[in-house]
């Protein structure tokens, strides 16, 4: 095992079964080998439907491969129980989605607290940490606001703060600027770079070349296979 | 756990109207449960009190078969003659009290009419509670003396020492009894001998017998039954012990309680189904949010707990409000019974254990109703949940 690799996919297939009798098979990933090194900033690029999101979910232990292995920090997570996977997602991984996916019933502060609640962090410590993160993304003034009272850019910044709540090793972002205008997107991107500079490994799914340009490494995916990139 | 409660609360508050409607569903069921259970308790307590006042060492000799119950009109229906001296010789028989019930004609200044009257032996007060509001009780030698219920006294404008006419004979009011007595406050008491004299009879309506110290009531009752059969040659009288009567009444109340409880249970079931429906809708609506919670590391058990707490809270709120309304209904019933029937016939049927029990129960109903929806939420596949539109 290479200590420098935070997550490694080995011959990973993901097959979705669809239709009434689950007979139609969709091969979202078809034998992917990919290692993400600690501290790197990786961009995953490819056309729509090529399997980018699926890949990201597998890297973040949100899903399990149909075939092949996923090693997270050296541990084969393919056969781990759901609760063990939940624990990895909670402590080691942070997700940022294209559509922000904030909890509509919770305030900005509450959303940032959420991963820490599930981790069992005591309230006082949790509040202090959530406030610190909100101030880091420039939203100290908005902590009481509900997601519906925030702009898209602000919501995505809350989502990033939430993803960083439990000090993850790996930040996974699925088209984080896809729903934002260029300028707001720039703000979110610089937040991601900053996070990466502070030592957090970042992987971003995007089909925006500008986003990819910021990354230190790019891989290209098409029809469920890695077809190119800086190192391929 | 406490923090998950916060999340659950937010979920409830976010869809206020639907939460309230669901809570009302539970509220109705719990109101029914509390109102009916407390009413049953009210009746049982009242019955228990009246029997305790009478004492369990007392039995009654009544015409006919067991079932009329103390105070029921059936037991006052017919009169019968009995040899009291011979009865007092039966082994184990202690004090004997006699009573004759009749409706008789009274007249006081401008007012006249028929009143319920009890002709009683002077020791009758040791058999059941008569609260003296004024004056005294009967003493040996009293003939044309009368004790009035407080309502009669007010209506006729009579006080202790005044005179009135009963069946065209002059009587002196020697006492007035209050509403706290075990007698209707619109009745009057006169000495048994006087009553028998007026009506030209030697009969009584009811005989109270207290078991002598050291004797078991059931044994004495058997001896009295044997004595009655021996001396009368037929079984036209029955001996009822308080135990027996109490049992019959409690059994009847128990059946009534079960019946009412069944109705309340159905109401609660409907309320529970309402909670289940709301929770299924909530899980569906919040599928994406559940996906997010899983993505940020919520364990299935934690998701389940959030939704269980949410439905349990709805149950608890419905339970709290329903308990309040049910308790008010019980107070109203006690007040209404007092207004309608005069004497304090019902006791308050609300107790702490009932309140706590019902609150716990309603939380349980809410949680149980939320169990399947919460499980459905916990079992969602995170990726599919996140893709849900
Ligand atoms: N839960 C699912 N059930 C069935 N098919 C699925 C499921 N998830 C993804 N797919 C299919 O797998 C393929 C890859 O999907 P994926 O979401 O990974 O693509 P993507 O590269 O992220 O696309 P986009 O850029 O549009 O987000 C697609 O053909 C998609 O239809
Ligand atoms: Mg995608």
């Amino acid at each position: 095992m290479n200590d420098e690799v935070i997550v490694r996919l080995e011959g990973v297939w993901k097959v979705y079964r669809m239709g009434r009798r689950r007979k139609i098979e969709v091969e979202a990933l078809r034998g992917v080998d990919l290692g993400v090194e600690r501290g790197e900033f990786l961009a995953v690029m490819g056309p729509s439907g090529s399997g980018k999101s699926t890949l990201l979910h597998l890297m973040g232990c949100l899903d399990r491969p149909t075939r092949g292995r996923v090693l997270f920090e050296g541990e084969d997570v393919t056969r781990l129980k759901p609760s063990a996977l939940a624990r990895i997602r909670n402590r080691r991984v942070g997700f940022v989605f294209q559509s922000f996916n904030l909890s509509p019933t919770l305030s900005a502060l509450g959303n940032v607290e959420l991963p820490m609640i599930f981790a069992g962090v005591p309230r006082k410590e949790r509040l202090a940490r959530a406030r610190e993160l909100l101030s880091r993304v420039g939203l100290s003034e908005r902590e009481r606001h509900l997601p519906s009272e925030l702009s898209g850019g602000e919501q995505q910044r809350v989502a990033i703060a939430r993803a960083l709540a439990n000090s993850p090793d790996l930040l996974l972002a699925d088209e984080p600027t896809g729903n934002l205008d260029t300028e707001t997107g720039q703000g979110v991107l610089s937040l991601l770079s900053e996070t990466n500079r502070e030592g957090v490994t970042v992987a971003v799914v995007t089909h925006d070349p500008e986003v990819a340009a910021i990354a230190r490494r790019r891989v290209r995916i098409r029809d469920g296979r890695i077809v190119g990139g800086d190192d391929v | 756990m406490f923090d998950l409660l916060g999340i659950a609360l937010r979920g409830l508050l976010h869809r206020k109207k639907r939460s309230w409607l669901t809570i009302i569903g539970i509220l109705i069921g719990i109101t029914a449960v509390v109102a009916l259970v407390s009413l049953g308790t009210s009746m049982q307590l009242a019955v228990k009190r009246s029997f305790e006042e009478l004492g369990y060492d007392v039995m009654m000799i009544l015409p006919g078969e067991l079932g009329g119950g103390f105070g029921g009109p059936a037991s006052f229906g017919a009169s019968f003659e009995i040899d009291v001296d011979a009865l007092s010789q039966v082994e184990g028989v202690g004090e004997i009290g006699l009573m004759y019930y009749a409706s008789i004609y009274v007249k006081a200044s401008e007012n006249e009419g028929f009143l319920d009257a009890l002709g009683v032996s002077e020791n009758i007060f040791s058999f059941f509670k008569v609260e003296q509001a004024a004056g005294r009780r009967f003493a040996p030698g009293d003939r044309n003396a009368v004790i009035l219920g407080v309502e009669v006294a007010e209506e006729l404008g009579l006080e202790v020492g005044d005179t009135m006419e009963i069946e065209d004979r002059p009587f002196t009011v020697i006492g007035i009894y209050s509403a706290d007595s075990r007698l209707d406050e619109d009745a009057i008491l006169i000495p048994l001998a006087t009553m028998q004299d007026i009506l030209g009879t030697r009969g009584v309506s009811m005989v109270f017998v207290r078991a002598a110290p050291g004797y078991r009531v059931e044994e004495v009752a058997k001896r009295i039954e044997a004595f009655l059969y021996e001396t009368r040659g037929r079984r036209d009288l029955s001996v009822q012990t308080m135990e027996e009567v109490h049992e019959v009444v409690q059994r009847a109340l128990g059946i009534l309680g079960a019946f009412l409880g069944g109705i309340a249970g159905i109401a609660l079931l409907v309320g529970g189904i309402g909670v289940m429906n709301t929770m299924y809708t909530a899980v569906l609506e919040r599928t994406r949010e559940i996906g997010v919670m899983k993505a940020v590391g919520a364990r299935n058990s934690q998701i389940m707990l959030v939704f269980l707490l949410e439905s349990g809270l709805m149950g608890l709120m419905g339970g709290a409000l329903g308990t309040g309304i049910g308790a008010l209904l019980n107070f109203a019933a006690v007040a209404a019974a007092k207004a309608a029937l005069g004497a304090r016939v019902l006791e308050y049927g609300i107790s702490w254990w009932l309140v706590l029990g019902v609150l716990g129960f309603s939380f349980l109903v809410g949680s149980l109703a939320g169990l399947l929806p919460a499980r459905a939420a916990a079992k969602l596949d995170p990726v599919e949940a996140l893709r849900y539109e």
Side-chain angles (χ1 to χ4, degrees):
Chain A
M1 291 299 126
N2 186 346
D3 241 2
E4 296 302 297
V5 174
I6 187 160
V7 59
R8 177 188 297 284
L9 278 63
E10 294 178 349
V12 161
W13 285 68
K14 183 70 193 181
V15 181
Y16 291 108
R17 292 175 181 280
M18 301 179 49
R20 240 182 349 139
R21 306 178 68 184
R22 304 182 73 75
K23 279 205 161 157
I24 307 163
E25 294 192 347
V26 179
E27 294 172 342
L29 292 179
R30 303 195 281 175
V32 169
D33 292 296
L34 178 67
V36 180
E37 283 174 28
R38 204 174 280 280
E40 80 168 324
F41 193 140
L42 176 74
V44 179
M45 304 178 68
S48 184
S50 55
K52 306 183 295 293
S53 296
T54 305
L55 181 67
L56 205 70
H57 295 155
L58 285 167
M59 292 198 292
C61 298
L62 196 60
D63 207 350
R64 283 192 258 212
T66 312
R67 245 173 294 155
R69 292 205 304 168
V70 176
L71 301 166
F72 194 95
E73 292 183 335
E75 185 181 18
D76 184 355
V77 297
T78 317
R79 283 195 182 75
L80 284 184
K81 284 189 299 181
S83 60
L85 293 176
R87 194 183 162 82
I88 293 176
R89 293 197 296 270
N90 190 220
R91 311 292 164 97
R92 304 246 181 272
V93 183
F95 278 101
V96 175
F97 302 96
Q98 177 174 355
S99 48
F100 323 136
N101 278 342
L102 296 179
S103 177
T105 60
L106 299 176
S107 66
L109 193 68
N111 267 285
V112 180
E113 279 183 81
L114 201 58
M116 294 186 274
I117 288 177
F118 293 131
V121 178
R123 184 182 147 81
K124 227 174 164 182
E125 197 183 321
R126 208 170 65 210
L127 277 173
R129 171 85 177 141
R131 293 220 164 89
E132 176 203 320
L133 285 162
L134 276 180
S135 99
R136 210 198 295 175
V137 299
L139 289 175
S140 287
E141 310 291 296
R142 299 275 188 274
E143 64 171 57
R144 292 277 149 229
H145 287 57
L146 289 175
S148 56
E149 299 160 350
L150 295 172
S151 76
E154 288 170 335
Q155 287 188 56
Q156 197 61 302
R157 271 143 68 197
V158 173
I160 291 173
R162 179 179 67 186
L164 297 175
N166 285 333
S167 310
D169 303 323
L170 179 62
L171 184 71
L172 300 170
D174 195 345
E175 311 211 28
T177 59
N179 283 2
L180 303 175
D181 60 57
T182 324
E183 209 172 312
T184 322
Q186 286 299 333
V188 166
L189 280 182
S190 51
L191 257 179
L192 292 180
S193 312
E194 197 185 311
T195 305
N196 178 242
R197 272 198 301 279
E198 283 163 11
V200 179
T201 313
V202 177
V204 186
V205 160
T206 185
H207 37 215
D208 179 352
E210 273 189 52
V211 177
I214 297 175
R216 279 191 258 162
R217 180 164 74 111
R218 281 152 288 273
V219 293
R220 217 163 271 284
I221 183 169
R222 180 186 291 268
D223 292 336
R225 285 202 182 92
I226 292 181
V227 292
D230 302 348
D231 61 339
V232 182
Chain B
M1 165 97 183
F2 200 68
D3 301 310
L4 296 182
L5 191 70
I7 300 175
L9 207 57
R10 289 300 153 82
L12 280 181
L13 293 176
H14 199 64
R15 47 193 163 82
K16 274 202 188 96
K17 193 182 271 175
R18 195 147 17 103
S19 298
W20 273 116
L21 289 175
T22 312
I23 286 169
I24 286 170
I26 288 283
L27 180 152
I28 291 170
I30 291 291
T31 301
V33 168
V34 171
L36 297 178
V37 168
S38 62
L39 184 64
T41 309
S42 287
M43 294 194 289
Q44 292 201 342
L45 282 177
V47 168
K48 191 162 167 253
R49 185 188 59 176
S50 61
F51 280 100
E52 269 165 6
E53 276 169 18
L54 210 50
Y56 284 104
D57 55 348
V58 170
M59 57 216 110
M60 295 180 301
I61 303 174
L62 298 168
E65 292 298 306
L66 174 64
F70 170 61
S75 53
F76 287 123
S79 68
F80 55 92
E81 286 184 25
I82 192 165
D83 185 344
V84 175
D85 286 335
L87 176 64
S88 66
Q89 296 306 309
V90 175
E91 191 187 350
V93 169
E95 197 177 3
I96 298 174
L98 304 167
M99 183 186 276
Y100 193 105
Y101 163 88
S103 191
I104 58 177
Y105 189 74
V106 302
K107 195 168 156 192
S109 53
E110 267 96 88
N111 300 298
E112 54 188 304
F114 283 93
L115 274 181
D116 288 343
L118 294 176
V120 295
S121 57
E122 61 199 52
N123 67 344
I124 200 74
F125 303 101
S126 77
F127 286 94
F128 58 101
K129 189 176 122 191
V130 176
E131 285 290 332
Q132 211 75 21
R136 59 174 179 88
R137 294 174 170 175
F138 294 123
D142 277 338
R143 292 286 304 167
N144 288 8
V146 61
I147 299 176
L148 306 177
V150 64
E151 202 172 284
V152 176
E154 267 169 30
E155 223 150 85
L156 300 182
L158 292 172
E159 284 175 22
V160 174
D162 290 346
T163 53
M164 64 186 291
E165 272 181 34
I166 298 176
E167 299 284 341
D168 299 328
R169 299 173 193 213
F171 276 73
T172 308
V173 178
I174 63 159
I176 292 169
Y177 64 84
S178 75
D180 287 330
S181 307
R182 296 304 303 168
L183 293 170
D184 288 346
E185 53 209 271
D186 55 0
I188 63 174
L189 301 176
I190 59 177
L192 178 67
T194 312
M195 174 78 104
Q196 288 172 333
D197 196 25
I198 289 171
L199 299 176
T201 174
R202 300 187 54 201
V204 293
S205 309
M206 195 189 288
V207 178
F208 295 89
V209 178
R210 178 166 279 127
Y215 284 92
R216 280 190 46 240
V217 184
E218 300 301 328
E219 256 172 50
V220 179
K222 285 225 170 63
R223 289 217 185 86
I224 295 175
E225 262 164 13
F227 158 78
L228 290 173
Y229 184 62
E230 214 171 276
T231 51
R232 306 172 76 86
R234 57 206 151 97
R235 300 196 189 275
D236 61 336
L237 299 179
S238 62
V239 181
Q240 302 185 2
T241 64
M242 286 300 128
E243 292 282 358
E244 275 172 351
V245 179
H246 195 187
E247 252 167 49
V248 170
V249 175
Q250 293 291 10
R251 206 179 308 134
L253 285 178
I255 291 169
L256 185 71
F259 176 71
L260 296 180
I263 292 176
I266 290 169
L268 202 55
L269 186 72
V270 173
I273 290 171
V275 171
M276 199 185 277
N277 181 38
T278 301
M279 290 313 294
Y280 266 123
T281 314
V283 170
L284 202 64
E285 269 178 0
R286 288 158 68 188
T287 299
R288 215 184 159 92
E289 213 184 322
I290 294 164
V292 172
M293 288 200 269
K294 291 199 162 188
V296 303
R299 276 176 275 123
N300 291 355
S301 57
Q302 289 172 318
I303 303 256
M304 181 134 176
L305 202 56
V306 167
F307 282 90
L308 276 184
L309 285 172
E310 213 173 297
S311 60
L313 275 179
M314 285 200 282
L316 191 62
M317 286 186 65
L321 294 173
T323 304
I325 297 174
L328 286 180
L329 286 178
N330 186 253
F331 293 159
V334 171
K338 181 158 184 172
L341 301 171
R344 193 166 148 212
V345 280
L346 287 181
E347 302 278 319
Y348 293 118
I350 302 286
S351 59
W352 278 115
W353 75 258
L354 177 69
V355 170
L356 291 179
V358 164
L359 288 183
F361 182 62
S362 51
F363 184 76
L364 196 73
V365 167
S367 306
L368 276 180
L371 200 60
L372 289 175
R375 236 172 63 110
K379 290 224 151 140
L380 281 177
D381 178 69
V383 173
E384 305 237 354
L386 280 170
R387 286 167 57 98
Y388 185 82
E389 296 298 323

